[in-house]
Amino acid sequence: MGVHSGSQVELRRDVRMLGELLGEVVAEQAGPELLATIEVVRSLSKHRRQAAAQSSLDPAAPTAGTGLAQLERACSSMSRYELVQVARAFGVFLALVNVAEKVEEVRAPRGAHAPSSRDDLQLQEVLRELSTSGVGPDEVAQALQALRVELVLTAHPTQAIRRTILQIQDCVFDLLTSYDRANDDSVRHELRRELKRQITALFNTEDVRRERPSPLLEAKLGLEVFEHTLWEAVPRFLRRLDEQLADQLPCASRIALGFDAPLVSFGSWMGGDRDGHPLVTAECSAQAVAHGRLIAARLYRREIDAVRAELTVHRVGRELKAFIGNIDRPYRSYLRHVRELLIATERRMELILEGQTPAADPYIMHKRQLLEPLLVCHRSLLESGQAILAEGRLLDLIRRVQAFGVTMVRLDLRESSERHTRAVSAITQQLAAVRYENLTEDQRVAFLIDQLERGQPIDLRSLVLDADVQPVIDTFLAAAAIGPEGLGAYVVSMAHSASDVLAVEWLQKLAGAAHPQRVVPLFETLDDLRKAPQTLHALLSLDWYQQRIVGQQEVMLGYSDSTKDGSRLASAWELYRAQENLAKVARAHHVELSFFHGRGGSIGRGGGPLSLIANTTPTPTPTPRMRVTEQGEMIHARLGWPVIAERTLESYVAMTLRGHLLPQPVPKPEWRSLLNLLSDASSRSYRELVSRPDFVAYFSEATPEHELSRMPIGSRPAHRSGVLSLLSLRAIPWVFAWTQTRLMTPAWLGIEEAFCYARGRGFGETLQEMSNQWPFFAATLGLTAHALAQADGEISAVYDRRLVDEQLLPIGEDLRARLRSAIEQVVFATRATHLLEFDEPQRRSIARRAAYIDPIHLIQVELLAQLRGSTTDESSDAPLRRAVLSTVTGLAAAMQSTG
């Protein structure tokens, strides 16, 4: 198979080699005739793209090219077997390109942007930037001492690629890395042979799951990234951080940082996210925590064995000597009890996961049981003049305990505010106390505060509750039994008011939680974001609540639903304003505020390159603390390889430090006024279009939405109810479906009309000024440009022509006209000649894929037309349905994005 010319020599070599090997595999496994068909299709697709490139300054731009009709005819003339195999071959090739670009990302020197990623935000650059801006080393050290970054892994259904295939890709990554280092021709020859074996396995491995994973299986699979990557990456990152700080900060400033500061940590929603997910039960959450404890105990036991083997020395400090006296091999003896407790913990968790009740034997319940003995050993080694040993495996282990605790991750629980309201109503109705559902907001707050301050205990287990409420109560009872070390935040989805938070506090009290979880309101819709400061003020004005939070408040911001609610541009601006206004409220109440950013992987759900995202929040942030979700395919993309994981951790630390300390240009009043106008115009235009009675019907026909909803890529339902509507549809399948047809609608819709409106009123120069001088606005446009560069109206038109009812076609024509306008408006506002003029690596990456993505789209359209035109029963259509889903996974890999 051929290859588009790349930039770096090594990347071009790797992609060419992978393409050649895949061609050999296709010929051997599927026959030379299929390879010949693939080459015909590839040639037609390349011709179309070359023609487009000659008519445009941007070869990745979605301009009309020639040859699409020929390519369509070639695809429509294939048998179903050929369609599936050709799509599979192109999908495999694009997956291999992804791996090659990841290798190049590792290979590229620090400071040089990789060919397909701009996630690389370097701490060293940020420290220099802070110094240049007049931020002193003591201030930097103080911020680093308080800095906390927590990545929260979620199992939202965006990981379309099976774990088996990811494991093969990991092998390809390792082999390409070894190929780089090999100097001997015979070694390289053997590495090529092994690459071919892996590509053969990749080509012949089924790429679509047979069944949906359960929530518990998702939780277990989510922990694999800790075993395989983060366990080693975290201490290595912290060691490299020590070196960077030694170069950048004087000793007097570094000394206060603390060698064991819990700089990074991890959370999870896998097994705890109940919002609209009936399969996430109380038992599921308890088992997810138990499985995390089991994995942690196994890994810690292995490390304790290694530390004991390393610490064979006999000199000890006074503290350790007081514990153990004069014995041979003191460190090994002292740590033996820790090892025994870890073994007991393993056994206990295994019994719990088997559904048995373990005996009440001692085991590791708290982080301090691990940490304190390790710190005693560390102090002993320092005191006895053996610092070099203290800074070895022992230091790494201490840092692991700080990062991972005793459960690897702390499980967040999440549920909708409406479910909590129903639960409180059911309880009060049984007790004949009040009709809670009929109370005003002020009355609800007064009732809940009274119950929290003076209310009597209630035996929740004695209440007779309906099937809708009982699971909510069961979750609170399970959380009370799990304990604080296994749990993180309790997130309240669709939080509208102070009572939504207080209801959870009361339910925790009724459940007997000795250490209740912190309650985090999640503001998701545009309206809730606007009202969020008022809601926070209402909470912080309550004496009971102030005593409860002890000066620390966390707020979660929803990027997905706010975008789906009212356009990407309006969402970005409302999120920015909400953070500004929430910070003002917190300062007025003398409370430290931290934000939990619920970002998705795609730009349409708040994702994108970290280097751009870093500028989309107001600065300085209230505290040097950040929680952020890593979802679906982004978990593997950012954390799946050790070196990439280290760079990801560094980027988040650098982003948090920079956001807290580095002042950004203050937006001019006229900029804010214009952005208010743009936001309103964008939201109005977006809502007018998507609220049309026939829009959802068009969306369902023009995209593989229906097929995606049945795709076994996640345990969570695609809809909140059985009826398809924009309100019931979750944000992820909404974005995923548009990505499959290359319209990328959620990432840009509304901006075209907003900018036209502003320019028509003479604000064109102000738009360009904002793009040039306001980092927030520039980053917002940069993210929009990324999405627009991936869009292709001509491909979208093929879906319409083959799949959409004639009466609905004008909607697609309107969307493509809006797409062209959006491209024109963003190019104008950024003073560019084409979309990615200022991001050459991303432009090359898109261009590298273009000719290989187009055939998969056309094959998907052909298979969808056959499936939707079929008159046979569902079981007979199963092979065809799986063929469609195979193209879905191929495009997900090709676009490096789903939802």
Side-chain angles (χ1 to χ4, degrees):
M1 299 182 70
V3 55
H4 194 289
S5 63
S7 55
Q8 287 75 14
V9 173
E10 295 90 346
L11 175 61
R12 188 165 59 245
R13 177 206 66 197
D14 287 349
V15 174
R16 182 186 298 112
M17 176 173 62
L18 293 171
E20 291 170 352
L21 292 173
L22 178 58
E24 294 174 16
V25 168
V26 170
E28 292 171 7
Q29 300 297 313
E33 296 82 5
L34 182 68
L35 180 61
T37 300
I38 290 171
E39 285 301 312
V40 168
V41 172
R42 186 182 68 84
S43 178
L44 289 171
S45 188
K46 285 192 70 174
H47 175 72
R48 178 203 173 220
R49 284 292 168 178
Q50 288 168 352
Q54 291 170 2
S55 64
S56 169
L57 291 174
D58 183 2
T63 51
T66 60
L68 186 60
Q70 286 180 292
L71 193 56
E72 281 190 82
R73 286 194 295 271
C75 292
S76 62
S77 66
M78 293 183 208
S79 67
R80 188 176 298 172
Y81 169 80
E82 289 174 318
L83 287 169
V84 173
Q85 293 300 316
V86 171
R88 179 79 181 123
F90 281 115
V92 168
F93 176 72
L94 289 162
L96 293 171
V97 170
N98 290 347
V99 177
E101 288 185 339
K102 282 296 180 185
V103 173
E104 177 62 23
E105 188 174 335
V106 173
R107 180 191 294 129
R110 301 291 282 160
H113 286 312
S116 64
S117 171
R118 291 179 58 203
D119 272 5
D120 206 12
L121 192 68
Q122 295 180 63
L123 182 60
Q124 206 164 16
E125 288 183 354
V126 169
L127 290 172
R128 282 197 294 266
E129 195 176 3
L130 290 170
S131 177
T132 302
S133 301
V135 180
D138 290 340
E139 191 176 357
V140 172
Q142 186 178 7
L144 281 168
Q145 190 175 19
L147 190 145
R148 302 290 183 268
V149 171
E150 183 176 1
L151 304 186
V152 182
L153 278 55
T154 76
H156 284 208
T158 60
Q159 181 51 283
I161 305 172
R162 293 179 63 202
R163 178 61 199 165
T164 304
I165 290 178
L166 291 176
Q167 289 170 342
I168 297 172
Q169 292 179 15
D170 290 347
C171 290
V172 173
F173 180 94
D174 292 338
L175 289 167
L176 287 177
T177 304
S178 298
Y179 195 89
D180 250 0
R181 295 193 296 260
N183 294 319
D184 185 88
D185 287 343
S186 63
V187 174
R188 287 197 163 191
H189 176 73
E190 184 53 41
L191 288 169
R192 279 182 63 102
R193 284 181 59 81
E194 186 56 36
L195 277 167
K196 186 174 178 180
R197 290 189 190 99
Q198 295 298 328
I199 293 171
T200 301
L202 190 60
F203 183 73
N204 288 325
T205 298
E206 194 168 10
D207 55 351
V208 179
R209 295 187 182 98
R210 292 281 180 179
E211 298 177 350
R212 288 185 184 272
S214 69
L216 184 58
L217 178 59
E218 287 176 330
K220 291 179 178 179
L221 293 175
L223 288 172
E224 288 187 359
V225 75
F226 293 91
E227 292 184 80
H228 300 151
T229 304
L230 290 172
W231 188 253
E232 298 298 332
V234 167
R236 283 215 303 258
F237 157 66
L238 293 172
R239 283 185 176 280
R240 192 156 53 80
L241 178 63
D242 287 342
E243 296 171 2
Q244 290 176 314
L245 295 179
D247 290 339
Q248 298 288 326
L249 297 179
C251 183
S253 299
R254 296 200 314 275
I255 197 92
L257 293 181
F259 69 91
D260 61 338
L263 200 66
V264 295
S265 60
F266 302 89
S268 174
W269 281 14
M270 302 180 194
D273 184 4
R274 287 188 47 80
D275 184 19
H277 198 330
L279 298 179
V280 179
T281 62
E283 181 184 7
C284 172
S285 298
Q287 288 201 315
V289 174
H291 187 73
R293 282 185 178 273
L294 175 62
I295 298 301
R298 287 174 177 169
L299 292 172
Y300 284 130
R301 178 166 60 87
R302 187 184 72 189
E303 291 303 317
I304 284 287
D305 286 344
V307 168
R308 291 176 74 227
E310 184 175 276
L311 297 182
T312 57
V313 296
H314 66 276
R315 292 208 312 269
V316 297
R318 286 165 294 181
E319 182 184 14
L320 181 54
K321 189 171 183 179
F323 276 116
I324 60 172
N326 292 312
I327 62 171
D328 189 30
R329 295 186 293 185
Y331 295 93
R332 297 190 66 177
S333 298
Y334 180 64
L335 292 174
R336 182 182 295 116
H337 181 60
V338 176
R339 184 179 190 276
E340 291 169 352
L341 285 176
L342 287 168
I343 293 172
T345 305
E346 288 183 60
R347 291 172 181 162
R348 183 181 184 86
M349 296 307 130
E350 287 168 349
L351 289 173
I352 290 174
L353 291 169
E354 292 169 2
Q356 301 181 43
T357 303
D361 297 327
Y363 70 102
I364 299 287
M365 297 179 63
H366 306 292
K367 183 168 76 172
R368 67 173 182 272
Q369 292 172 271
L370 269 176
L371 192 59
E372 288 175 1
L374 299 176
L375 291 174
V376 168
C377 291
H378 191 271
R379 289 192 292 267
S380 175
L381 289 167
L382 292 179
E383 184 186 344
S384 58
Q386 301 171 98
I388 193 168
L389 292 176
E391 295 166 359
R393 297 188 76 110
L394 178 61
L395 176 58
D396 287 347
L397 182 51
I398 289 169
R399 285 173 162 173
R400 286 185 175 110
V401 175
Q402 290 285 31
F404 303 125
V406 295
T407 58
M408 296 305 291
V409 293
R410 287 194 172 192
L411 184 69
D412 280 6
L413 302 179
R414 182 171 80 130
E415 183 57 278
S416 166
S417 63
E418 188 261 343
R419 295 287 301 278
H420 301 134
T421 299
R422 291 208 295 268
V424 172
S425 297
I427 294 169
T428 56
Q429 186 173 351
Q430 289 224 2
L431 298 176
V434 295
R435 298 286 294 185
Y436 182 81
E437 65 273 23
N438 295 334
L439 299 180
T440 65
E441 170 62 14
D442 288 345
Q443 290 171 331
R444 288 184 179 186
V445 169
F447 169 77
L448 292 167
I449 289 294
D450 181 66
Q451 292 299 312
L452 287 163
E453 290 180 337
R454 292 176 290 276
Q456 298 300 309
I458 299 171
D459 183 4
L460 292 179
R461 292 178 176 85
S462 68
L463 301 180
V464 180
L465 303 169
D466 63 35
D468 183 55
V469 171
Q470 190 62 54
V472 178
I473 301 302
D474 290 342
T475 297
F476 281 99
L477 292 170
I482 289 171
E485 300 252 344
L487 297 175
Y490 193 108
V491 179
V492 184
S493 293
M494 292 295 173
H496 308 299
S497 59
S499 65
D500 290 332
V501 173
L502 298 176
V504 175
E505 296 285 9
W506 188 46
L507 290 169
Q508 289 194 97
K509 177 183 177 181
L510 295 183
H515 303 279
Q517 294 173 260
R518 67 186 186 278
V519 183
V520 177
L522 167 53
F523 301 110
E524 299 179 80
T525 66
L526 294 185
D527 189 49
D528 286 336
L529 285 168
R530 291 169 185 143
K531 293 178 180 176
Q534 176 184 338
T535 301
L536 184 62
H537 172 71
L539 279 169
L540 298 182
S541 299
L542 300 168
D543 291 340
W544 179 91
Y545 192 75
Q546 281 277 13
Q547 293 172 15
R548 161 73 170 105
I549 63 173
V550 197
Q552 304 251 337
Q553 175 66 52
E554 182 180 326
V555 167
M556 185 171 183
L557 304 170
Y559 290 72
S560 304
D561 281 287
S562 59
T563 296
K564 184 167 76 76
D565 180 38
S567 84
R568 175 76 180 88
L569 180 63
S571 169
W573 180 228
E574 292 302 336
L575 285 160
Y576 186 96
R577 292 206 307 174
Q579 289 174 79
E580 286 185 318
N581 294 328
L582 285 165
K584 289 177 184 176
V585 171
R587 284 196 298 270
H589 287 277
H590 309 290
V591 167
E592 286 191 3
L593 180 68
S594 59
F595 291 111
F596 181 7
H597 298 277
R599 295 184 180 275
S602 63
I603 291 169
R605 293 187 56 245
L610 296 182
S611 55
L612 286 176
I613 287 175
N615 288 324
T616 59
T617 56
T619 57
T621 54
T623 58
R625 295 197 299 270
M626 175 192 287
R627 291 187 96 215
V628 62
T629 53
E630 284 289 6
Q631 300 183 1
E633 77 280 353
M634 298 312 299
I635 294 174
H636 190 262
R638 287 185 175 148
L639 303 172
W641 292 284
V643 177
I644 301 293
E646 289 179 54
R647 293 190 176 188
T648 297
L649 295 174
E650 179 182 345
S651 292
Y652 273 120
V653 168
M655 182 193 306
T656 307
L657 184 67
R658 184 176 185 267
H660 180 61
L661 291 179
L662 190 66
Q664 294 287 343
V666 177
K668 298 178 182 178
E670 57 265 34
W671 294 354
R672 301 181 70 94
S673 297
L674 179 55
L675 201 40
N676 283 331
L677 182 148
L678 292 171
S679 175
D680 290 343
S682 174
S683 181
R684 183 170 58 251
S685 170
Y686 174 92
R687 285 173 166 170
E688 284 175 359
L689 179 62
V690 301
S691 63
R692 285 180 48 173
D694 51 357
F695 185 83
V696 171
Y698 167 79
F699 168 69
S700 185
E701 291 186 21
T703 73
E705 179 277 328
H706 176 70
E707 290 75 18
L708 289 174
S709 68
R710 305 178 64 176
M711 189 174 181
I713 60 174
S715 65
R716 196 175 183 189
H719 303 273
R720 290 185 170 89
S721 64
V723 179
L724 175 61
S725 68
L726 191 57
L727 185 63
S728 72
L729 185 70
R730 295 191 182 279
I732 293 168
W734 165 251
V735 174
F736 197 173
W738 289 116
T739 303
Q740 289 281 306
T741 64
R742 293 290 287 285
L743 262 185
M744 319 298 288
T745 309
W748 57 265
L749 184 60
I751 199 171
E752 76 294 340
E753 194 148 325
F755 280 28
C756 283
Y757 181 80
R759 290 176 67 184
R761 282 154 182 76
F763 293 113
E765 289 188 10
T766 308
L767 281 174
Q768 292 180 331
E769 181 185 66
M770 290 161 63
S771 174
N772 184 51
Q773 298 179 30
W774 190 8
F776 161 73
F777 192 68
T780 301
L781 292 188
L783 290 166
T784 305
H786 272 231
L788 289 169
Q790 289 185 305
D792 190 325
E794 218 183 352
I795 290 294
S796 162
V798 177
Y799 282 80
D800 280 15
R801 191 164 60 248
R802 294 293 305 279
L803 303 174
V804 175
D805 184 274
E806 185 176 355
Q807 293 181 335
L808 299 174
L809 289 176
I811 297 177
E813 293 168 2
D814 180 32
L815 283 171
R816 286 184 286 279
R818 290 168 181 260
L819 172 65
R820 292 189 292 271
S821 175
I823 293 170
E824 176 191 335
Q825 300 304 328
V826 170
V827 167
F828 168 82
T830 56
R831 290 192 175 100
T833 56
H834 58 80
L835 283 170
L836 295 179
E837 180 177 353
F838 307 115
D839 192 351
E840 183 62 18
Q842 180 69 8
R843 189 200 65 79
R844 284 198 304 266
S845 179
I846 293 174
R848 187 178 297 117
R849 288 168 167 74
Y852 301 88
I853 296 178
D854 293 351
I856 307 179
H857 281 294
L858 299 181
I859 290 172
Q860 183 180 88
V861 171
E862 181 65 33
L863 292 171
L864 282 170
Q866 292 181 22
L867 178 62
R868 295 179 183 181
S870 174
T871 58
T872 60
D873 59 50
E874 186 168 324
S875 60
S876 301
D877 283 339
L880 182 55
R881 198 176 301 280
R882 293 188 66 77
V884 170
L885 297 186
S886 180
T887 64
V888 168
T889 60
L891 288 173
M895 300 292 291
Q896 302 182 88
S897 175
T898 53

